[in-house]
Amino acid sequence: MTRKVGGRARRGTAAFAKSKGILSLDTSPHPVPACRTRLLRLPAVRLFAAAVVVGLAALSFSCTWQEQTEQGLALGINQLRSERGLPPLVRDPQLSAIARMRAEDMAKNNYFSHTPPDGCAARCLMERAGLAPVWAGEVIAWNNTSADQSADMTIALWRNSPQHLGTITNGCFTRMGTGSAFAGDGRIYHVAVFEGRAPGC
């Protein structure tokens, strides 16, 4: 079982921490659908001689593995913040699109760096998306464990890394995005990006 992590938090152009990471080459917007519940209608039931249509409904989750894992990362990040008395971060669709795009590019192109080949790092991607972050950061990781354990392993790795935990628990962040992707070699890449300006920052 192999794993690797990388993380960085930034204000303006000053880096707080330096480590290995990944950023995306592809800057086109990718929608990140949330897990939804879907209403399923069961067949009508005929009672005795009268035709009685009974509307029965059941909820079923239509989450993909990718969506479930991304939500698991977000829950784990907020748990780490809660343990330290910090407010939860809002999972933002724009930031989640960036995080997923970055994870997918990492998986596709087999690299692991905060600075992608085209040089457009997390802050650059946020600005291209129309955001103007005062505080911005990201943490990344990959592992080759099973899909249902990958997010938990990543949260555990981030918890045990002072550098990554410091980024996750930065009190100036207010929003986050999470992304995950499978690579052809069996690795699973995870990205979390952060943005915001909490009061006092």
Side-chain angles (χ1 to χ4, degrees):
M1 185 179 303
T2 309
R3 66 259 188 189
K4 192 164 184 178
V5 296
R8 176 167 66 183
R10 300 180 62 183
R11 182 183 185 191
T13 58
F16 283 89
K18 184 178 180 183
S19 69
K20 296 179 180 178
I22 165 78
L23 262 157
S24 171
L25 292 172
D26 179 9
T27 58
S28 60
H30 294 281
V32 182
C35 279
R36 300 175 301 276
T37 55
R38 184 175 58 223
L39 191 64
L40 301 181
R41 296 191 178 279
L42 302 180
V45 178
R46 198 178 270 271
L47 295 178
F48 302 103
V52 179
V53 175
V54 179
L56 300 175
L59 292 177
S60 75
F61 290 100
S62 59
C63 292
T64 65
W65 167 86
Q66 193 174 33
E67 292 165 343
Q68 291 174 350
T69 302
E70 292 164 352
Q71 289 184 5
L73 290 174
L75 289 172
I77 286 168
N78 277 334
Q79 178 63 36
L80 294 178
R81 289 177 62 86
S82 174
E83 291 169 3
R84 287 149 187 84
L86 294 167
L89 300 176
V90 175
R91 189 163 178 247
D92 180 82
Q94 281 185 295
L95 295 178
S96 291
I98 290 170
R100 177 182 284 188
M101 175 179 59
R102 301 234 314 87
E104 289 176 345
D105 188 71
M106 174 166 54
K108 178 181 177 182
N109 294 303
N110 190 31
Y111 69 92
F112 191 72
S113 172
H114 282 295
T115 304
D118 73 349
C120 187
R123 178 176 294 277
C124 169
L125 293 175
M126 292 179 195
E127 290 170 350
R128 287 185 181 180
L131 303 174
V134 174
W135 286 85
E138 86 178 336
V139 291
I140 63 149
W142 65 264
N143 57 58
N144 59 4
T145 189
S146 63
D148 62 342
Q149 296 177 350
S150 188
D152 288 343
M153 172 176 279
T154 293
I155 294 297
L157 290 169
W158 288 341
R159 180 195 297 274
N160 293 318
S161 165
Q163 181 176 338
H164 300 91
L165 186 60
T167 299
I168 291 168
T169 58
N170 186 321
C172 290
F173 295 141
T174 56
R175 303 187 300 160
M176 70 172 156
T178 54
S180 300
F182 268 116
D185 62 1
R187 294 183 182 188
I188 303 172
Y189 290 89
H190 301 292
V191 177
V193 294
F194 307 95
E195 188 271 333
R197 185 175 185 178
C201 293

